[in-house]
Amino acid sequence: MNNNRNRSPSISPAAVVVAAIFLLVSVIGINWFTSFVPVVLPPQASAESKSVDELFYVLVIIGGIVFFLIQGMLLISVIFFRAKNGDQSDGPTYHGNALLEIVWTIIPAGVVVFLAVLSFNVWMQNTEPKAAVNMVDGAEVKINVNGARYAWTHTYQTGQIDPKGAQIVINSGNKLHTYIGQNIELELRTQDVIHSYWAPAMRVKQDLLPGNPATGGRPTEIRFTPVRVEDETYPASYPIVCAELCGDGHGRMTGEVIVYEDESQFLQQFYEPAIYAILNPPADPVLRGEILIQEYICNSCHTLDSLGWTSSTGPSLNGIADRAGERVPGQSAEEYIVLSVWNSQAFVVPGYTEQMAAFGPDQTDANAMSAEQLYAIAAYLCTQGEQSDCDIENQTVAIPAAIETAFGLEVDITFGQGDEAETDSS
Ligand code: CUA
């Protein structure tokens, strides 16, 4: 053994040949492997997708070469340099090889620096603020995204004013509407825990970070520009998912990016009808409530057969009007319902936990709800039951009275035009 200890290892020509063969096999293998990558990845639906995918290919190729090379050398060693039968002796001991050590330090260091610079470049490029974002009809529109367990809400601060002087805000629920070529800039806020807004086809993913609500939370941003995808029919839909485990409803926290072919299709099929609906709400509060309740994120936690909701994080709303009057002694059905919407802590149904998102007049987030909207939603919920506990005949009196009792707020029941616009969250 002693004579081995001071032996200086030499790199035999055979080893160099074997290494070269493995490098070649690795390169061929990785090329073959990456030919499957386009099948695995979603369509490149944003201007940012290309650079992200190129970075991904580079990472897969370099990682693949390293993987095949090391595994190959390992396999070769195991097969060709294994101990002979009956040989119980130790192998030779080597002490250092300055050249080898320098080489295997410099090459990986170079690769890591190269990847860092490349990644940083792609990151800077794709997150850089752009001019003329969210352009609609020649003007910038602010788009806010609110994340709450377990739903996304998108709101468009249109900048247009309704007849009562309030800004018209479109609430498009879990859908982001955009068009090819529109520079999208989203401001993301969470109401509770960390969520992550991920639109794989757009190659964007961004965490939503909780912060002090009194100072408006801690907004983060996402920027991307939808591009045309070959053979796609427009409007096209691409998924949005939550990529941060946020609770038992995490898997349901989904949405859609709807991409229109151009701005005029966007205006005709989404924007203008949405504004028209806000300016011309149905006179019947029950019908208004039915529309409104679907703009909020109630469906992400509740079951309600009339609207096809099937979630079970919160109690079912089927037949809610039949139970509302008996839940809390001394509380009318109307009071119970308005309290449950604005102050869900007031009564938590046994078997459930208090985790409902906050709705109310003073919220600065996407779940802001005016007293008039609460009135309409309560009127709708009062119809959900066989023998409603609500005073349906006198809803124009009973519900506003309940809101006044519960929150000390007066409801303007004569509102008609433009009142749904009071979701203004600015
Ligand atoms: Cu939100 Cu997971």
Short mmCIF file of all heavy atoms in Angstrom, two decimals, residues 15 17 22 48 65 78 108 120 133 187 217 225-226 230 247 278 293 317 335 343 354 367 393 402 406:
data_model
loop_
_atom_site.label_atom_id
_atom_site.label_comp_id
_atom_site.label_asym_id
_atom_site.label_seq_id
_atom_site.Cartn_x
_atom_site.Cartn_y
_atom_site.Cartn_z
N ALA A 15 -8.82 7.08 -20.46
CA ALA A 15 -9.85 7.79 -19.71
C ALA A 15 -10.36 9.00 -20.48
O ALA A 15 -11.55 9.32 -20.47
CB ALA A 15 -9.29 8.21 -18.36
N VAL A 17 -10.42 9.34 -23.72
CA VAL A 17 -11.27 8.85 -24.81
C VAL A 17 -12.66 8.51 -24.31
O VAL A 17 -13.68 8.91 -24.87
CB VAL A 17 -10.61 7.63 -25.50
CG1 VAL A 17 -11.58 7.00 -26.49
CG2 VAL A 17 -9.32 8.04 -26.20
N PHE A 22 -18.42 9.88 -23.76
CA PHE A 22 -19.58 10.18 -22.92
C PHE A 22 -20.11 11.58 -23.14
O PHE A 22 -21.32 11.81 -23.12
CB PHE A 22 -19.29 9.92 -21.45
CG PHE A 22 -19.76 8.56 -21.07
CD1 PHE A 22 -18.88 7.50 -20.98
CD2 PHE A 22 -21.13 8.33 -20.91
CE1 PHE A 22 -19.33 6.23 -20.69
CE2 PHE A 22 -21.58 7.06 -20.63
CZ PHE A 22 -20.68 6.00 -20.52
N GLU A 48 -42.99 37.53 -23.58
CA GLU A 48 -41.94 37.14 -22.64
C GLU A 48 -41.62 35.64 -22.74
O GLU A 48 -40.55 35.20 -22.30
CB GLU A 48 -42.38 37.46 -21.21
CG GLU A 48 -42.39 38.94 -20.86
CD GLU A 48 -43.48 39.72 -21.57
OE1 GLU A 48 -44.46 39.10 -22.06
OE2 GLU A 48 -43.36 40.95 -21.67
N ILE A 65 -26.33 17.57 -19.68
CA ILE A 65 -24.96 17.13 -19.99
C ILE A 65 -24.24 16.70 -18.72
O ILE A 65 -23.63 15.62 -18.66
CB ILE A 65 -24.18 18.25 -20.72
CG1 ILE A 65 -24.72 18.41 -22.15
CG2 ILE A 65 -22.69 17.95 -20.75
CD1 ILE A 65 -24.14 19.57 -22.91
N VAL A 78 -18.13 1.50 -12.44
CA VAL A 78 -18.72 0.35 -11.76
C VAL A 78 -18.49 -0.92 -12.58
O VAL A 78 -18.17 -1.98 -12.04
CB VAL A 78 -20.22 0.58 -11.52
CG1 VAL A 78 -20.93 -0.70 -11.15
CG2 VAL A 78 -20.43 1.65 -10.45
N PRO A 108 -17.13 24.63 -13.49
CA PRO A 108 -18.45 24.86 -12.87
C PRO A 108 -18.67 26.31 -12.47
O PRO A 108 -19.77 26.85 -12.62
CB PRO A 108 -18.44 23.95 -11.64
CG PRO A 108 -17.41 22.93 -11.91
CD PRO A 108 -16.37 23.62 -12.74
N PHE A 120 -30.47 36.65 -14.96
CA PHE A 120 -30.71 38.01 -14.50
C PHE A 120 -31.17 38.89 -15.68
O PHE A 120 -32.08 39.70 -15.54
CB PHE A 120 -29.45 38.57 -13.86
CG PHE A 120 -29.65 39.90 -13.19
CD1 PHE A 120 -30.43 40.00 -12.05
CD2 PHE A 120 -29.10 41.06 -13.72
CE1 PHE A 120 -30.64 41.23 -11.43
CE2 PHE A 120 -29.30 42.29 -13.11
CZ PHE A 120 -30.07 42.37 -11.97
N VAL A 133 -49.33 51.13 -20.51
CA VAL A 133 -49.82 49.82 -20.06
C VAL A 133 -51.35 49.83 -19.96
O VAL A 133 -51.96 50.87 -19.77
CB VAL A 133 -49.22 49.42 -18.69
CG1 VAL A 133 -47.73 49.22 -18.79
CG2 VAL A 133 -49.57 50.44 -17.62
N GLU A 187 -51.42 44.95 -10.58
CA GLU A 187 -50.98 45.17 -9.21
C GLU A 187 -51.67 44.14 -8.33
O GLU A 187 -52.89 44.07 -8.30
CB GLU A 187 -51.34 46.59 -8.77
CG GLU A 187 -50.69 46.96 -7.47
CD GLU A 187 -50.84 48.45 -7.17
OE1 GLU A 187 -50.27 49.27 -7.92
OE2 GLU A 187 -51.53 48.78 -6.19
N GLY A 217 -51.55 47.33 2.18
CA GLY A 217 -50.92 46.05 1.91
C GLY A 217 -49.55 46.23 1.30
O GLY A 217 -48.91 47.27 1.46
N THR A 225 -47.07 40.86 -22.18
CA THR A 225 -47.79 41.32 -23.36
C THR A 225 -48.23 40.10 -24.17
O THR A 225 -47.39 39.36 -24.68
CB THR A 225 -46.87 42.20 -24.24
OG1 THR A 225 -46.35 43.25 -23.43
CG2 THR A 225 -47.63 42.78 -25.42
N PRO A 226 -49.54 39.85 -24.26
CA PRO A 226 -50.02 38.69 -25.03
C PRO A 226 -49.64 38.82 -26.50
O PRO A 226 -49.66 39.92 -27.06
CB PRO A 226 -51.54 38.75 -24.88
CG PRO A 226 -51.79 39.61 -23.69
CD PRO A 226 -50.66 40.58 -23.64
N GLU A 230 -50.15 30.65 -33.02
CA GLU A 230 -50.56 30.06 -34.29
C GLU A 230 -51.69 29.04 -34.09
O GLU A 230 -51.70 28.31 -33.09
CB GLU A 230 -49.37 29.36 -34.93
CG GLU A 230 -49.22 29.68 -36.41
CD GLU A 230 -47.97 29.04 -36.98
OE1 GLU A 230 -46.86 29.46 -36.56
OE2 GLU A 230 -48.12 28.12 -37.79
N GLY A 247 -53.93 26.62 1.63
CA GLY A 247 -55.00 26.07 2.45
C GLY A 247 -55.72 24.97 1.70
O GLY A 247 -55.29 24.57 0.61
N ILE A 278 -73.15 47.88 -15.83
CA ILE A 278 -73.00 48.64 -14.58
C ILE A 278 -73.89 49.87 -14.59
O ILE A 278 -74.53 50.22 -13.59
CB ILE A 278 -71.52 49.05 -14.40
CG1 ILE A 278 -70.68 47.82 -14.05
CG2 ILE A 278 -71.38 50.11 -13.32
CD1 ILE A 278 -69.18 48.03 -14.14
N ILE A 293 -73.70 39.05 -6.77
CA ILE A 293 -73.12 38.00 -5.95
C ILE A 293 -72.16 37.13 -6.79
O ILE A 293 -71.22 36.54 -6.27
CB ILE A 293 -74.21 37.15 -5.27
CG1 ILE A 293 -73.63 36.44 -4.03
CG2 ILE A 293 -74.84 36.16 -6.23
CD1 ILE A 293 -74.69 35.79 -3.16
N LEU A 317 -75.02 27.53 0.85
CA LEU A 317 -76.01 28.60 0.85
C LEU A 317 -77.38 28.11 0.37
O LEU A 317 -78.32 28.89 0.29
CB LEU A 317 -75.53 29.78 -0.01
CG LEU A 317 -74.24 30.47 0.45
CD1 LEU A 317 -73.86 31.60 -0.49
CD2 LEU A 317 -74.39 30.99 1.88
N GLU A 335 -81.02 40.59 9.32
CA GLU A 335 -79.82 40.98 10.08
C GLU A 335 -78.76 39.89 9.99
O GLU A 335 -77.56 40.17 9.83
CB GLU A 335 -80.17 41.23 11.55
CG GLU A 335 -80.72 42.63 11.82
CD GLU A 335 -81.39 42.73 13.19
OE1 GLU A 335 -81.08 41.91 14.08
OE2 GLU A 335 -82.24 43.62 13.34
N ASN A 343 -69.62 40.94 8.11
CA ASN A 343 -68.90 40.66 9.34
C ASN A 343 -69.07 39.17 9.66
O ASN A 343 -69.82 38.79 10.55
CB ASN A 343 -69.44 41.54 10.48
CG ASN A 343 -68.76 41.25 11.80
OD1 ASN A 343 -67.71 40.60 11.83
ND2 ASN A 343 -69.34 41.71 12.88
N GLU A 354 -63.42 30.38 10.93
CA GLU A 354 -63.52 31.75 10.45
C GLU A 354 -62.37 32.04 9.50
O GLU A 354 -61.26 32.29 9.91
CB GLU A 354 -63.49 32.72 11.64
CG GLU A 354 -63.33 34.18 11.27
CD GLU A 354 -64.25 34.63 10.14
OE1 GLU A 354 -65.44 34.24 10.15
OE2 GLU A 354 -63.79 35.35 9.25
N ASN A 367 -62.61 43.52 -2.93
CA ASN A 367 -63.86 43.01 -2.37
C ASN A 367 -64.71 44.10 -1.74
O ASN A 367 -65.60 43.83 -0.95
CB ASN A 367 -63.57 41.94 -1.32
CG ASN A 367 -63.04 40.68 -1.96
OD1 ASN A 367 -63.32 40.42 -3.13
ND2 ASN A 367 -62.28 39.91 -1.22
N GLU A 393 -92.07 40.59 1.26
CA GLU A 393 -92.99 41.63 0.78
C GLU A 393 -92.44 43.03 1.06
O GLU A 393 -92.66 43.96 0.30
CB GLU A 393 -94.35 41.48 1.48
CG GLU A 393 -95.00 40.12 1.30
CD GLU A 393 -95.35 39.85 -0.15
OE1 GLU A 393 -96.16 40.62 -0.72
OE2 GLU A 393 -94.81 38.88 -0.72
N ALA A 402 -82.20 46.38 8.58
CA ALA A 402 -81.21 45.45 9.13
C ALA A 402 -79.80 46.00 8.97
O ALA A 402 -78.96 45.88 9.89
CB ALA A 402 -81.33 44.09 8.44
N ALA A 406 -77.33 46.77 12.05
CA ALA A 406 -76.06 46.06 12.17
C ALA A 406 -74.86 46.98 12.03
O ALA A 406 -73.84 46.80 12.71
CB ALA A 406 -75.99 44.94 11.13
#
